[in-house]
Amino acid sequence: MALVEVDKATKRYGSLTVLNGLSLDIEAHQVVCLIGPSGCGKSTLLRCINRLETIQDGEIRLHGDRITGPGVDLDLLRREVGIVFQGYNLFPHMSVLENITLGPLKVLGMPRAEARDKAMSLLARIGLAHKAGEYPDRLSGGQQQRVAIVRALMMDPALLLLDEITSALDPELVSEVLDIVRDLARNGMTMVLATHEMGFAREVADKVCFLHAGVVHEEGPPSQIFGDPQDERTRAFLKSIIDAGRL
Amino acid sequence: MNKPAVMANRERADLWHARSKVRAHSVQTWASLSIATLTCVAVVLSAYSIARYAIAQGWDRLPVWIGAGVFMTVAVLVAASAARALQLSKHAQLARDVYDGRALGARASEQSWRAISYSGALVILCIFAWFMVVNDAAVSRTFFDVDLIARSAGTVLKAFGTNFFIFTVSAFLILIWALVIAIARTLPGKAGRPIRMLAIIYSDLFRGLPAIITIYLIGFGLPLTNLPILKDLSSSAYAIIALTLTYGAYTSEVYRAGIESIHPSQIAAARSLGLSYSKTMRYVIVPQAVRGIIPPLMNNCISLQKDTALVAIIGTIDAFNQSKIIASNNFNLSAVTTVAIIFILLTIPQARLVDRLIERDRNKRRSG
Ligand SMILES: Nc1ncnc2c1ncn2[C@@H]1O[C@H](COP(=O)(O)OP(=O)(O)OP(=O)(O)O)[C@@H](O)[C@H]1O
Ligand SMILES: [Mg+2]
């Protein structure tokens, strides 16, 4: 049984159908990369998985338990499924340490000292221990994004959703964020990435999914999707990426 | 790097299943049922005794009992819906299928919250109703003499024309005058300094002065100055001048906040196209600023409307003054209630409009 099973999920905004019976399995300890042109529904899919959006049809299961439908404890779900957005969304009125210990303190009821130790050890791992007392607006974009990832990790999620976490960053800051993701992948963290970083997807993904017309149009290991795409659309998309010099 | 996060998958799944049980919300539904029941009893007793009292005061039986009956029915329905919520919650507990249980629990929770909020509203209405009838209905006699309200409505409404006139003219003048001040305050550079200073002094002065004092000084002061034209304007005209000066200062701040909320890079972008400062304002900044300032402008507008009642102190026969005359002739304040009602009826739609505009703006930002 996969960690998450998306089963014929349909999501509409008014008359616009964004997900059209999309199915996708996310195995534990795997990294799944979602690729596809802008507007194809990558963010929407991620937001549906942790119920920031509600699908109209189909179902999504976590640990085999249906998490769509009424009466699901959303707070519990979001502890289990963390998400990091493109715009880091750190709380500007809190220091780095306060930002990342907020969840453990207020939601998990972790003792302050323990939360602090955990936060400091995670910060040390990403090389930002000396920034613990800083406020977000005094950090670079890359540093803010790394803190945002740590903030999600503090809750010990079973699954981490990463939505184009590097696309707001300067090129030289991208690698420092990707290093963390790589490190997490090596340690068996289950992750779903919506990304335009094809090179990175190729390197880190266990499975790459090409989204088109509201479904997973083609999926497979990166070597196949990038090396030998079967589908016309996938090829066209990858060609446009290569032409833009991004692969 | 995050070892605990990589807990064995099996273990995590078990933990998840242990935690994500059906939530039947039984405490909440019990609380809601007790609240709704107490409310129901209170409402039925109050409606009954208030209705009896009203009939004893010579009201028609039928409408009074119908009104009381409606209240009692609503209260009973609310209690019934709380009972239903409790039943749903019991079903949720017993449901064999976890998904059915969750759905039932969600409905129980929703329904019990609704019962609680309806009960809250009913209690508040009840308290209000008692407030009206205690002490031999002193409150309703003083403020809500329906007969006097009806009799005074025509005269007061006619006098309200003065308020309306003052309001419309000054609103128009304020919009222009405030824009002038706002632009004066944002003039750039050394050259703009003297004008800027004057504009600042003006806004400080008139934002500091209570509107009622400005109206008093202008309304009684200008006629004494013997200045040509200014000395023999109508009292409405003095009111318009005073309100324009006061509200111009406030409104210019609204404009200025709007202008300054536009990111400086927009000015840079426009200027780098070769647009002059005034063209930048005209074509790029002001159109963007207007969107954000409409809600605060509307708020100012509502407040201006109400402050037209202040002109009563310089003897203008506006709706408030008129109603005071009627009130003192009848030894009853209900005529003033008439004005109050007129003002309220006028502002409510505007307040809703402001809410709508703010909501629309929020939606735009959320999707943007
Ligand atoms: N709240 C919303 N209301 C209406 N339409 C929406 C909303 N959110 C997203 N959409 C539409 O859904 C479609 C998919 O959007 P989504 O953000 O999922 O795309 P994406 O694949 O993440 O694109 P990108 O690569 O640019 O981030 C788009 O056409 C978008 O306009
Ligand atoms: Mg997106």
Side-chain angles (χ1 to χ4, degrees):
Chain A
M1 179 181 64
L3 175 62
V4 173
E5 299 149 283
V6 180
D7 191 0
K8 301 199 191 66
T10 296
K11 171 74 194 172
R12 290 180 217 97
Y13 291 112
S15 62
L16 174 72
T17 305
V18 182
L19 305 182
N20 191 6
L22 181 147
S23 297
L24 168 69
D25 282 356
I26 301 157
E27 298 292 339
H29 313 306
Q30 278 204 341
V31 177
V32 175
C33 283
L34 307 177
I35 62 170
S38 186
C40 68
K42 302 182 292 292
S43 305
T44 305
L45 176 58
L46 296 185
R47 294 166 68 85
C48 287
I49 292 178
N50 85 339
R51 290 280 307 261
L52 287 171
E53 303 281 354
T54 306
I55 57 173
Q56 282 99 358
D57 226 338
E59 60 180 65
I60 300 176
R61 291 180 293 271
L62 171 67
H63 298 303
D65 180 23
R66 189 174 80 203
I67 51 167
T68 43
V72 174
D73 187 341
L74 295 184
D75 298 334
L76 199 61
L77 171 63
R78 283 163 196 163
R79 267 196 254 164
E80 197 76 350
V81 180
I83 189 164
V84 179
F85 303 98
Q86 171 180 351
Y88 341 111
N89 297 338
L90 295 178
F91 308 121
H93 61 297
M94 294 181 184
S95 70
V96 165
L97 189 64
E98 286 164 344
N99 257 287
I100 61 184
T101 52
L102 181 72
L105 290 177
K106 305 295 173 200
V107 179
L108 303 180
M110 191 184 278
R112 189 166 286 276
E114 188 186 334
R116 210 192 125 83
D117 289 346
K118 183 168 177 186
M120 290 312 291
S121 79
L122 282 177
L123 282 178
R125 282 204 145 110
I126 62 166
L128 287 179
H130 59 294
K131 297 287 188 190
E134 285 291 5
Y135 283 85
D137 58 2
R138 309 215 3 195
L139 301 181
S140 74
Q143 290 169 336
Q144 289 188 46
Q145 191 59 291
R146 282 141 75 197
V147 172
I149 295 175
V150 166
R151 184 172 68 178
L153 287 178
M154 286 290 286
M155 305 299 284
D156 281 339
L159 170 67
L160 194 57
L161 309 173
L162 305 171
D163 191 1
E164 300 195 23
I165 50 170
T166 56
S167 53
L169 298 178
D170 293 336
E172 69 269 27
L173 299 178
V174 168
S175 68
E176 63 185 35
V177 173
L178 293 185
D179 281 343
I180 297 182
V181 178
R182 200 174 283 128
D183 194 18
L184 285 170
R186 214 177 296 130
N187 280 284
M189 184 76 202
T190 316
M191 285 180 285
V192 183
L193 284 76
T195 185
H196 289 298
E197 299 284 342
M198 297 301 156
F200 183 69
R202 183 172 204 163
E203 173 203 330
V204 80
D206 295 298
K207 176 157 91 174
V208 177
C209 301
F210 173 65
L211 262 61
H212 177 77
V215 295
V216 177
H217 213 68
E218 181 168 0
E219 66 174 78
S223 55
Q224 184 226 311
I225 297 289
F226 292 112
D228 181 24
Q230 301 299 306
D231 188 89
E232 195 53 46
R233 298 239 177 241
T234 321
R235 269 193 293 245
F237 172 69
L238 289 172
K239 182 168 180 324
S240 71
I241 296 276
I242 292 166
D243 289 348
R246 298 191 64 171
L247 188 69
Chain B
M1 70 184 208
N2 189 17
K3 282 279 161 5
V6 197
M7 215 188 284
N9 188 40
R10 188 66 254 157
E11 211 176 310
R12 280 214 81 118
D14 291 344
L15 196 60
W16 170 264
H17 286 284
R19 276 198 200 139
S20 73
K21 286 204 202 77
V22 170
R23 296 176 66 200
H25 302 279
S26 64
V27 174
Q28 181 190 325
T29 41
W30 270 113
S32 125
L33 182 60
S34 357
I35 293 171
T37 315
L38 285 177
T39 308
C40 183
V41 172
V43 168
V44 169
L45 290 180
S46 312
Y48 178 73
S49 28
I50 292 171
R52 289 274 305 270
Y53 175 81
I55 289 166
Q57 294 297 307
W59 289 53
D60 277 344
R61 267 166 193 284
L62 190 65
V64 167
W65 281 122
I66 288 178
V70 167
F71 266 97
M72 294 186 197
T73 319
V74 171
V76 171
L77 285 180
V78 170
S81 110
R84 171 88 184 115
L86 185 63
Q87 194 191 4
L88 283 171
S89 151
K90 286 269 176 290
H91 285 308
Q93 265 166 357
L94 298 176
R96 226 169 288 133
D97 180 64
V98 92
Y99 301 130
D100 289 346
R102 280 187 196 155
L104 288 166
R107 275 175 61 201
S109 164
E110 154 112 36
Q111 198 149 357
S112 57
W113 274 123
R114 209 167 44 196
I116 291 175
S117 87
Y118 270 93
S119 303
L122 281 173
V123 167
I124 291 169
L125 285 179
C126 239
I127 293 173
F128 183 74
W130 278 113
F131 183 66
M132 299 307 284
V133 297
V134 286
N135 197 7
D136 202 16
V139 174
S140 35
R141 276 177 219 280
T142 311
F143 297 104
F144 299 99
D145 181 337
V146 179
D147 189 42
L148 184 56
I149 290 180
R151 265 190 296 130
S152 61
T155 333
V156 171
L157 204 57
K158 215 176 290 162
F160 194 78
T162 312
N163 294 70
F164 190 74
F165 172 72
I166 295 176
F167 164 70
T168 340
V169 178
S170 27
F172 178 73
L173 293 178
I174 287 164
L175 285 179
I176 297 168
W177 175 234
L179 187 60
V180 172
I181 300 296
I183 290 182
R185 280 202 68 167
T186 46
L187 280 183
K190 276 217 173 75
R193 190 131 177 220
I195 302 285
R196 224 164 40 220
M197 293 308 288
L198 273 183
I200 290 174
I201 292 172
Y202 163 78
S203 338
D204 285 356
L205 203 63
F206 280 91
R207 268 192 305 165
L209 266 176
I212 196 166
I213 294 183
T214 312
I215 293 173
Y216 194 85
L217 287 176
I218 287 180
F220 288 132
L222 283 186
L224 296 179
T225 57
N226 267 333
L227 292 169
I229 307 176
L230 282 182
K231 73 175 188 319
D232 36 35
L233 290 172
S234 72
S235 66
S236 298
Y238 292 130
I240 289 171
I241 294 174
L243 286 173
T244 304
L245 287 173
T246 303
Y247 274 85
Y250 280 108
T251 311
S252 75
E253 286 303 301
V254 173
Y255 279 137
R256 196 166 68 101
I259 291 172
E260 286 175 359
S261 72
I262 306 301
H263 199 266
S265 63
Q266 288 285 310
I267 298 190
R271 295 306 290 270
S272 66
L273 287 175
L275 292 174
S276 66
Y277 180 76
S278 58
K279 288 209 173 109
T280 301
M281 281 290 169
R282 163 85 182 73
Y283 294 109
V284 180
I285 306 303
V286 172
Q288 291 188 62
V290 162
R291 216 190 70 194
I293 64 173
I294 285 179
L297 273 186
M298 288 290 294
N299 277 333
N300 268 14
C301 184
I302 292 174
S303 148
L304 169 69
Q305 218 165 313
K306 296 183 301 174
D307 279 359
T308 56
L310 293 176
V311 304
I313 64 147
I314 55 172
T316 314
I317 301 296
D318 75 321
F320 179 40
N321 233 352
Q322 182 65 262
S323 70
K324 281 201 320 197
I325 295 169
I326 301 175
S328 50
N329 287 343
N330 289 276
F331 303 108
N332 187 299
L333 285 184
S334 298
V336 183
T337 307
T338 316
V339 199
I341 292 172
I342 296 176
F343 272 111
I344 290 170
L345 287 185
L346 216 65
T347 46
I348 286 176
Q350 298 176 52
R352 289 292 79 74
L353 181 63
V354 175
D355 288 353
R356 282 259 307 275
L357 291 174
I358 292 175
E359 183 63 21
R360 207 185 57 183
D361 211 46
R362 256 167 54 118
N363 286 342
K364 242 187 234 159
R365 240 177 306 155
R366 206 178 296 146
S367 54

mmCIF file of all heavy atoms in Angstrom, chain A residues 162-184:
data_model
loop_
_atom_site.group_PDB
_atom_site.id
_atom_site.type_symbol
_atom_site.label_atom_id
_atom_site.label_comp_id
_atom_site.label_asym_id
_atom_site.label_seq_id
_atom_site.Cartn_x
_atom_site.Cartn_y
_atom_site.Cartn_z
ATOM 1 N N LEU A 162 6.474 19.990 -1.575
ATOM 2 C CA LEU A 162 7.301 21.161 -1.851
ATOM 3 C C LEU A 162 6.848 21.784 -3.161
ATOM 4 O O LEU A 162 6.957 21.170 -4.223
ATOM 5 C CB LEU A 162 8.783 20.758 -1.934
ATOM 6 C CG LEU A 162 9.328 20.024 -0.704
ATOM 7 C CD1 LEU A 162 10.720 19.482 -0.974
ATOM 8 C CD2 LEU A 162 9.341 20.937 0.506
ATOM 9 N N ASP A 163 6.312 22.979 -3.086
ATOM 10 C CA ASP A 163 5.743 23.597 -4.283
ATOM 11 C C ASP A 163 6.675 24.665 -4.852
ATOM 12 O O ASP A 163 6.698 25.791 -4.379
ATOM 13 C CB ASP A 163 4.375 24.208 -3.942
ATOM 14 C CG ASP A 163 3.620 24.638 -5.185
ATOM 15 O OD1 ASP A 163 4.156 24.449 -6.300
ATOM 16 O OD2 ASP A 163 2.512 25.168 -5.043
ATOM 17 N N GLU A 164 7.420 24.274 -5.847
ATOM 18 C CA GLU A 164 8.342 25.209 -6.518
ATOM 19 C C GLU A 164 9.121 26.042 -5.529
ATOM 20 O O GLU A 164 9.126 27.265 -5.584
ATOM 21 C CB GLU A 164 7.557 26.125 -7.450
ATOM 22 C CG GLU A 164 6.845 25.295 -8.489
ATOM 23 C CD GLU A 164 6.345 26.117 -9.639
ATOM 24 O OE1 GLU A 164 6.913 27.200 -9.851
ATOM 25 O OE2 GLU A 164 5.426 25.666 -10.310
ATOM 26 N N ILE A 165 9.777 25.337 -4.627
ATOM 27 C CA ILE A 165 10.420 26.040 -3.530
ATOM 28 C C ILE A 165 11.618 26.856 -3.978
ATOM 29 O O ILE A 165 12.108 27.674 -3.219
ATOM 30 C CB ILE A 165 10.867 25.063 -2.428
ATOM 31 C CG1 ILE A 165 11.656 23.917 -3.048
ATOM 32 C CG2 ILE A 165 9.672 24.561 -1.661
ATOM 33 C CD1 ILE A 165 12.312 23.060 -2.005
ATOM 34 N N THR A 166 12.090 26.643 -5.202
ATOM 35 C CA THR A 166 13.268 27.415 -5.609
ATOM 36 C C THR A 166 12.955 28.463 -6.659
ATOM 37 O O THR A 166 13.834 29.210 -7.057
ATOM 38 C CB THR A 166 14.367 26.492 -6.180
ATOM 39 O OG1 THR A 166 13.807 25.738 -7.259
ATOM 40 C CG2 THR A 166 14.895 25.573 -5.120
ATOM 41 N N SER A 167 11.689 28.550 -7.105
ATOM 42 C CA SER A 167 11.485 29.405 -8.279
ATOM 43 C C SER A 167 11.475 30.892 -7.945
ATOM 44 O O SER A 167 11.542 31.718 -8.837
ATOM 45 C CB SER A 167 10.213 29.001 -9.028
ATOM 46 O OG SER A 167 9.137 28.978 -8.154
ATOM 47 N N ALA A 168 11.435 31.250 -6.652
ATOM 48 C CA ALA A 168 11.534 32.671 -6.335
ATOM 49 C C ALA A 168 12.974 33.049 -5.993
ATOM 50 O O ALA A 168 13.233 34.176 -5.580
ATOM 51 C CB ALA A 168 10.608 33.014 -5.177
ATOM 52 N N LEU A 169 13.893 32.112 -6.167
ATOM 53 C CA LEU A 169 15.261 32.353 -5.689
ATOM 54 C C LEU A 169 16.226 32.698 -6.815
ATOM 55 O O LEU A 169 16.069 32.252 -7.946
ATOM 56 C CB LEU A 169 15.779 31.110 -4.966
ATOM 57 C CG LEU A 169 15.013 30.690 -3.718
ATOM 58 C CD1 LEU A 169 15.614 29.423 -3.147
ATOM 59 C CD2 LEU A 169 15.015 31.809 -2.694
ATOM 60 N N ASP A 170 17.249 33.473 -6.468
ATOM 61 C CA ASP A 170 18.325 33.721 -7.417
ATOM 62 C C ASP A 170 19.055 32.402 -7.681
ATOM 63 O O ASP A 170 19.159 31.566 -6.789
ATOM 64 C CB ASP A 170 19.326 34.719 -6.826
ATOM 65 C CG ASP A 170 18.683 36.088 -6.666
ATOM 66 O OD1 ASP A 170 17.714 36.353 -7.399
ATOM 67 O OD2 ASP A 170 19.139 36.851 -5.806
ATOM 68 N N PRO A 171 19.557 32.254 -8.895
ATOM 69 C CA PRO A 171 20.198 30.987 -9.262
ATOM 70 C C PRO A 171 21.256 30.528 -8.252
ATOM 71 O O PRO A 171 21.317 29.346 -7.924
ATOM 72 C CB PRO A 171 20.842 31.312 -10.612
ATOM 73 C CG PRO A 171 20.002 32.386 -11.178
ATOM 74 C CD PRO A 171 19.505 33.191 -10.014
ATOM 75 N N GLU A 172 22.052 31.461 -7.703
ATOM 76 C CA GLU A 172 23.118 31.001 -6.815
ATOM 77 C C GLU A 172 22.589 30.547 -5.455
ATOM 78 O O GLU A 172 23.302 29.935 -4.684
ATOM 79 C CB GLU A 172 24.213 32.063 -6.663
ATOM 80 C CG GLU A 172 23.804 33.301 -5.905
ATOM 81 C CD GLU A 172 23.250 34.378 -6.832
ATOM 82 O OE1 GLU A 172 22.712 34.022 -7.905
ATOM 83 O OE2 GLU A 172 23.353 35.560 -6.474
ATOM 84 N N LEU A 173 21.316 30.877 -5.181
ATOM 85 C CA LEU A 173 20.740 30.437 -3.905
ATOM 86 C C LEU A 173 19.993 29.117 -4.041
ATOM 87 O O LEU A 173 19.655 28.470 -3.060
ATOM 88 C CB LEU A 173 19.776 31.498 -3.374
ATOM 89 C CG LEU A 173 20.396 32.861 -3.081
ATOM 90 C CD1 LEU A 173 19.331 33.829 -2.603
ATOM 91 C CD2 LEU A 173 21.506 32.738 -2.059
ATOM 92 N N VAL A 174 19.728 28.737 -5.316
ATOM 93 C CA VAL A 174 18.925 27.534 -5.543
ATOM 94 C C VAL A 174 19.617 26.311 -4.966
ATOM 95 O O VAL A 174 19.004 25.491 -4.285
ATOM 96 C CB VAL A 174 18.664 27.354 -7.057
ATOM 97 C CG1 VAL A 174 18.098 25.973 -7.332
ATOM 98 C CG2 VAL A 174 17.706 28.418 -7.543
ATOM 99 N N SER A 175 20.926 26.225 -5.186
ATOM 100 C CA SER A 175 21.608 24.986 -4.820
ATOM 101 C C SER A 175 21.593 24.752 -3.316
ATOM 102 O O SER A 175 21.466 23.620 -2.861
ATOM 103 C CB SER A 175 23.034 24.993 -5.362
ATOM 104 O OG SER A 175 23.774 25.967 -4.669
ATOM 105 N N GLU A 176 21.676 25.831 -2.534
ATOM 106 C CA GLU A 176 21.684 25.614 -1.080
ATOM 107 C C GLU A 176 20.359 25.032 -0.593
ATOM 108 O O GLU A 176 20.323 24.261 0.358
ATOM 109 C CB GLU A 176 22.040 26.895 -0.325
ATOM 110 C CG GLU A 176 21.058 28.042 -0.487
ATOM 111 C CD GLU A 176 21.549 29.323 0.199
ATOM 112 O OE1 GLU A 176 22.782 29.564 0.205
ATOM 113 O OE2 GLU A 176 20.710 30.061 0.715
ATOM 114 N N VAL A 177 19.270 25.395 -1.268
ATOM 115 C CA VAL A 177 17.978 24.831 -0.895
ATOM 116 C C VAL A 177 17.870 23.388 -1.397
ATOM 117 O O VAL A 177 17.413 22.492 -0.682
ATOM 118 C CB VAL A 177 16.827 25.695 -1.454
ATOM 119 C CG1 VAL A 177 15.492 25.016 -1.225
ATOM 120 C CG2 VAL A 177 16.840 27.061 -0.795
ATOM 121 N N LEU A 178 18.328 23.179 -2.623
ATOM 122 C CA LEU A 178 18.241 21.828 -3.180
ATOM 123 C C LEU A 178 19.102 20.850 -2.394
ATOM 124 O O LEU A 178 18.758 19.671 -2.265
ATOM 125 C CB LEU A 178 18.640 21.838 -4.656
ATOM 126 C CG LEU A 178 17.662 22.584 -5.567
ATOM 127 C CD1 LEU A 178 18.069 22.434 -7.019
ATOM 128 C CD2 LEU A 178 16.235 22.090 -5.358
ATOM 129 N N ASP A 179 20.217 21.340 -1.840
ATOM 130 C CA ASP A 179 21.073 20.466 -1.028
ATOM 131 C C ASP A 179 20.289 19.851 0.122
ATOM 132 O O ASP A 179 20.458 18.672 0.444
ATOM 133 C CB ASP A 179 22.253 21.269 -0.455
ATOM 134 C CG ASP A 179 23.338 21.457 -1.505
ATOM 135 O OD1 ASP A 179 23.308 20.715 -2.512
ATOM 136 O OD2 ASP A 179 24.193 22.350 -1.327
ATOM 137 N N ILE A 180 19.431 20.667 0.724
ATOM 138 C CA ILE A 180 18.638 20.158 1.840
ATOM 139 C C ILE A 180 17.689 19.073 1.370
ATOM 140 O O ILE A 180 17.545 18.022 1.994
ATOM 141 C CB ILE A 180 17.819 21.295 2.477
ATOM 142 C CG1 ILE A 180 18.757 22.332 3.046
ATOM 143 C CG2 ILE A 180 16.898 20.753 3.542
ATOM 144 C CD1 ILE A 180 18.027 23.440 3.736
ATOM 145 N N VAL A 181 17.045 19.345 0.232
ATOM 146 C CA VAL A 181 16.093 18.365 -0.293
ATOM 147 C C VAL A 181 16.809 17.055 -0.601
ATOM 148 O O VAL A 181 16.318 15.966 -0.289
ATOM 149 C CB VAL A 181 15.399 18.924 -1.555
ATOM 150 C CG1 VAL A 181 14.446 17.892 -2.129
ATOM 151 C CG2 VAL A 181 14.669 20.204 -1.213
ATOM 152 N N ARG A 182 17.991 17.182 -1.185
ATOM 153 C CA ARG A 182 18.793 16.005 -1.528
ATOM 154 C C ARG A 182 19.109 15.209 -0.263
ATOM 155 O O ARG A 182 18.960 13.990 -0.207
ATOM 156 C CB ARG A 182 20.088 16.494 -2.183
ATOM 157 C CG ARG A 182 20.810 15.465 -3.011
ATOM 158 C CD ARG A 182 21.988 16.097 -3.724
ATOM 159 N NE ARG A 182 21.598 16.887 -4.883
ATOM 160 C CZ ARG A 182 21.966 18.145 -5.103
ATOM 161 N NH1 ARG A 182 22.706 18.799 -4.220
ATOM 162 N NH2 ARG A 182 21.593 18.781 -6.192
ATOM 163 N N ASP A 183 19.506 15.939 0.766
ATOM 164 C CA ASP A 183 19.847 15.339 2.043
ATOM 165 C C ASP A 183 18.646 14.600 2.638
ATOM 166 O O ASP A 183 18.756 13.466 3.118
ATOM 167 C CB ASP A 183 20.307 16.469 2.972
ATOM 168 C CG ASP A 183 21.008 15.939 4.196
ATOM 169 O OD1 ASP A 183 21.430 14.767 4.152
ATOM 170 O OD2 ASP A 183 21.131 16.689 5.181
ATOM 171 N N LEU A 184 17.466 15.269 2.557
ATOM 172 C CA LEU A 184 16.243 14.648 3.071
ATOM 173 C C LEU A 184 15.933 13.377 2.298
ATOM 174 O O LEU A 184 15.559 12.354 2.876
ATOM 175 C CB LEU A 184 15.068 15.619 2.937
ATOM 176 C CG LEU A 184 15.027 16.764 3.936
ATOM 177 C CD1 LEU A 184 13.963 17.771 3.535
ATOM 178 C CD2 LEU A 184 14.757 16.231 5.323
#
